[in-house]
Amino acid sequence: NKKTNWWQETVVYQIYPRSFKDTNNDGIGDLKGIIEKLDYLQTLGIGAIWLSPVYKSPNDDNGYDISDYEDIMDEFGTMKEMEELIDEAKKRNIEIIMDLVVNHTSDEHKWFIESRKSKENPYRDYYIWADEPNGLKSTFSGSAWELDELSGQYYLHLFSKKQPDLNWENERVRKEVYDMMNFWIDKGIGGFRMDVIDLIGKIPEKEITGNGPKLHEYLQEMNKATFGGKNLLTVGETWGATPEIAKLYSNPNREELSMIFQFEHSGLDEKGTKWKTRKLSIPELKRVFAKWQTELGHEGWNSLFWNNHDLPRIVSRWGEDKVYRVESAKMLAILLHMMKGTPYIYQGEEIGMTNCPVTDISQVEDIESVNMYHERLSLGDKKEELIAAINAKGRDNARTPMQWDSSENGGFTKGNAWLSVNPNYKEINVEQALKDKHSIFYTYQKLIQLRKDNPLMIWGEFELVTSADNVFAYTREYNAEKWLVVANFSENEQKFSFDGKAKQVIIQNYDKAYLDLSDLNLLPYETFVVKL
Ligand code: TEU
Ligand code: CA
């Protein structure tokens, strides 16, 4: 009942279930909480929910370490409730996109429990074992090889020690994954987000991890064996993709994926690692977005995002979350959603939720931040610098509980929240946003409605417009209709002039008229879209 390529016309909302809504007061979000909030999401207007993992997991990496792909994590609820969520969402024309984490499993998965029993065990080569470690490092600090005392061999884990990498060269592994995927497709899901899918072609003995030689062969095999021809949304998380590589993933003729998440823009204020920052250059940002908007052309499809559960909150990172929080959050929303591609909204982004600083490592939950802290501390880094780095870029910033209202814990739980609620929940919450017609929420709601009403937003050609360094301006053109998008990506006033008249204002974040565009003085974060 879905139009072909519905996923090119919709907006996706990402839910991190642990932090969305708790209904049994154990301080942890659950599936019932998501079902309870489906009407809110329908009001926002989104057409799909990307659900971060809800499968059985010991939560070493909060669900990205899966011990049973075909059962639901105890803290989140039951399979019956999962089936109810899929049905209730569909009633509201919302598809459920599951998070497919198959680069690795939990070390508590029955396959790994078998595999580590002995070198002769039939599951031994479901994983990657070596007699000696090589130089591969874990994203979560230290070596990517862990010694298994029993056999004296080492197993590979590009993430935590409790996330052993699956051996994709083993066709039995691939078959098990495809069977599991079909189990979920048969439940009526709308597609998959594929966790670090660029790593499944790895050749560990050659220290090759991303973009391995068999990666696209595996994806084409997966497509044919599972979601191919079923009009499902598939989005691969591929950290190292370039536009040329993105075409390999998302060119419809190649029958691989619908689209990918690439992170080139997200790395522009980093120096080597995420923990070393440099000043964001807006001209750089414009160049990178323009490249992706124009080079994929008709041979691929962009995803559009600022936030997810691994990234700091964009209004704190590249907006301004004290004086101009509302204006800058709206600027970021309009600038992104007016581009070509499928937009993704991360829970709380639509109400301008901010980063949540800590003062001590004891307040930090995320394994990536905790491991980095202890590794760097042992190398002599100062505590204050490490806490500052975690406050700027740590993943907990995105994982503080969703702020629903001004009651205790922001209405997230009546128990003790698993991760502290941001103290600004009293001012920043859904209840307040819905009452205020000038809230960030209504800017997102309008952007989503504009996308439904205007094919130009989906198909219009993108062209960058020359402007001052910190002004990001572009046009979208479709069937002789042309829209101009102008954003002052700074808290200083900026000049902007454009040779043309505005026929109509489409959306804006200040209450100003835009008819003559020849000599504008843009206020801090001022953003508008006009029909030319
Ligand atoms: O993230 C991929 C990943 O590499 C991130 O951990 C990223 O490198 C890091 O957070 C940058 O700060 C995916 C999931 O999104 C993430 O939550 C998981 O921790 C990871 O894979 C392992 O499954
Ligand atoms: Ca709960």
Side-chain angles (χ1 to χ4, degrees):
N1 61 342
K2 299 187 288 275
K3 285 168 59 183
T4 45
N5 293 356
W6 56 278
W7 40 267
Q8 289 179 299
E9 304 179 348
T10 199
V11 175
V12 185
Y13 188 91
Q14 183 192 354
I15 289 180
Y16 193 70
R18 200 171 187 79
S19 305
F20 193 64
K21 179 71 174 68
D22 172 22
T23 58
N24 63 344
N25 300 324
D26 62 355
I28 298 171
D30 42 58
L31 295 178
K32 273 179 131 66
I34 300 173
I35 293 169
E36 188 184 286
K37 296 297 180 183
L38 286 174
D39 289 339
Y40 164 69
L41 295 174
Q42 189 176 25
T43 304
L44 178 58
I46 52 101
I49 294 170
W50 156 22
L51 205 49
S52 273
V54 294
Y55 321 96
K56 279 234 183 311
S57 164
N59 288 304
D60 191 52
D61 185 16
N62 291 347
Y64 283 90
D65 50 318
I66 295 165
S67 54
D68 185 344
Y69 289 96
E70 299 183 9
D71 201 352
I72 300 300
M73 189 188 301
D74 298 335
E75 295 92 330
F76 289 164
T78 65
M79 181 58 84
K80 197 163 166 9
E81 287 160 350
M82 184 63 219
E83 289 160 355
E84 186 188 348
L85 170 57
I86 294 169
D87 293 347
E88 285 302 316
K90 228 180 245 304
K91 282 179 192 162
R92 296 165 174 83
N93 291 319
I94 295 175
E95 297 294 333
I96 298 292
I97 310 297
M98 300 297 276
D99 207 321
L100 184 73
V101 186
V102 290
N103 172 69
H104 48 272
T105 71
S106 163
D107 64 347
E108 297 182 28
H109 193 290
K110 63 179 185 303
W111 298 339
F112 191 71
I113 291 168
E114 283 303 312
S115 180
R116 75 184 319 170
K117 275 181 182 167
S118 81
K119 291 183 189 174
E120 293 70 39
N121 187 289
Y123 286 88
R124 189 67 174 185
D125 63 0
Y126 268 43
Y127 296 86
I128 297 164
W129 296 91
D131 291 330
E132 287 308 322
N134 62 21
L136 285 177
K137 292 278 175 263
S138 160
T139 301
F140 297 160
S141 304
S143 166
W145 298 97
E146 178 69 7
L147 173 64
D148 177 60
E149 302 286 345
L150 191 66
S151 66
Q153 284 195 307
Y154 294 78
Y155 66 84
L156 181 73
H157 62 87
L158 294 181
F159 294 95
S160 87
K161 295 180 173 51
K162 286 181 67 60
Q163 291 172 292
D165 281 56
L166 281 168
N167 172 16
W168 271 76
E169 297 205 34
N170 181 342
E171 63 182 347
R172 288 169 61 213
V173 166
R174 303 201 303 272
K175 173 98 175 58
E176 297 262 20
V177 168
Y178 304 157
D179 288 348
M180 175 269 288
M181 291 174 72
N182 285 319
F183 168 87
W184 283 106
I185 290 171
D186 292 349
K187 289 195 179 295
I189 62 168
F192 294 101
R193 176 265 184 181
M194 300 186 182
D195 192 62
V196 288
I197 201 69
D198 59 335
L199 300 178
I200 63 172
K202 66 179 74 80
I203 305 183
E205 60 276 15
K206 292 190 186 142
E207 300 195 17
I208 293 171
T209 50
N211 297 316
K214 292 188 181 168
L215 170 58
H216 294 282
E217 177 190 319
Y218 293 154
L219 286 176
Q220 287 166 23
E221 180 186 69
M222 177 194 280
N223 178 302
K224 281 175 191 47
T226 63
F227 54 83
K230 298 192 175 91
N231 195 19
L232 298 180
L233 182 160
T234 48
V235 52
E237 182 199 26
T238 58
W239 280 79
T242 62
E244 280 321 301
I245 293 174
K247 289 176 189 173
L248 298 179
Y249 286 108
S250 61
N251 184 324
N253 306 332
R254 289 175 53 88
E255 297 183 335
E256 289 188 18
L257 306 179
S258 316
M259 67 189 96
I260 58 163
F261 290 136
Q262 52 84 16
F263 294 79
E264 190 172 359
H265 61 303
S266 183
L268 289 176
D269 67 352
E270 298 177 352
K271 240 180 342 199
T273 88
K274 66 183 274 184
W275 305 110
K276 292 266 175 287
T277 56
R278 64 186 156 106
K279 185 164 172 25
L280 172 70
S281 147
I282 306 306
E284 265 287 276
L285 190 75
K286 294 181 331 188
R287 191 184 59 72
V288 166
F289 267 111
K291 175 178 76 171
W292 281 93
Q293 284 289 295
T294 50
E295 286 189 18
L296 277 200
H298 302 281
E299 299 171 77
W301 191 256
N302 276 297
S303 65
L304 304 169
F305 67 94
W306 294 122
N307 289 299
N308 64 29
H309 62 293
D310 293 331
L311 298 175
R313 291 214 173 251
I314 195 69
V315 71
S316 300
R317 182 184 186 184
W318 289 351
E320 196 284 325
D321 65 5
K322 305 272 178 307
V323 176
Y324 296 105
R325 184 179 64 86
V326 174
E327 291 82 357
S328 65
K330 290 179 178 178
M331 178 276 288
L332 290 158
I334 296 168
L335 181 67
L336 188 74
H337 280 242
M338 280 292 156
M339 289 188 197
K340 189 174 186 183
T342 300
Y344 289 73
I345 301 170
Y346 177 65
Q347 68 181 48
E349 172 184 336
E350 79 278 14
I351 58 168
M353 278 176 64
T354 66
N355 280 355
C356 186
V358 297
T359 54
D360 183 87
I361 194 63
S362 60
Q363 299 156 16
V364 177
E365 201 277 341
D366 171 28
I367 187 167
E368 179 190 49
S369 298
V370 169
N371 286 5
M372 179 281 287
Y373 178 88
H374 293 300
E375 180 181 67
R376 301 301 315 173
L377 205 58
S378 67
L379 294 172
D381 285 15
K382 290 196 189 60
K383 277 187 182 177
E384 307 72 52
E385 285 168 13
L386 295 171
I387 293 297
I390 290 169
N391 283 339
K393 301 300 287 300
R395 303 192 300 180
D396 282 352
N397 280 308
R399 301 174 179 186
T400 62
M402 184 70 182
Q403 295 162 200
W404 295 103
D405 56 43
S406 57
S407 72
E408 195 194 4
N409 289 318
F412 165 71
T413 180
K414 290 189 175 49
N416 296 319
W418 71 280
L419 183 67
S420 303
V421 180
N422 193 319
N424 62 22
Y425 72 84
K426 290 189 177 50
E427 301 80 41
I428 301 172
N429 60 68
V430 166
E431 188 179 50
Q432 175 278 331
L434 292 174
K435 280 184 194 145
D436 169 7
K437 67 180 182 356
H438 298 301
S439 67
I440 301 159
F441 174 88
Y442 289 115
T443 291
Y444 273 92
Q445 186 190 55
K446 181 165 185 182
L447 286 166
I448 295 169
Q449 191 56 48
L450 283 169
R451 185 168 286 270
K452 290 173 182 167
D453 302 339
N454 296 278
L456 173 142
M457 280 182 73
I458 297 160
W459 308 113
E461 290 308 307
F462 173 101
E463 188 170 359
L464 206 56
V465 164
T466 309
S467 60
D469 277 1
N470 288 350
V471 175
F472 194 147
Y474 62 86
T475 57
R476 297 287 307 277
E477 184 161 13
Y478 183 70
N479 287 350
E481 187 175 344
K482 198 169 195 177
W483 291 8
L484 170 68
V485 181
V486 180
N488 174 0
F489 209 113
S490 80
E491 66 179 274
N492 309 310
E493 295 198 3
Q494 303 283 345
K495 289 284 183 203
F496 177 78
S497 61
F498 183 81
D499 177 13
K501 285 256 179 285
K503 290 192 186 110
Q504 176 194 350
V505 178
I506 303 287
I507 189 168
Q508 60 191 108
N509 67 348
Y510 279 85
D511 189 9
K512 285 172 69 177
Y514 301 98
L515 293 174
D516 177 5
L517 302 170
S518 60
D519 180 19
L520 294 176
N521 191 45
L522 301 177
L523 298 172
Y525 300 106
E526 181 173 342
T527 305
F528 64 89
V529 180
V530 290
K531 184 189 284 189
L532 295 174

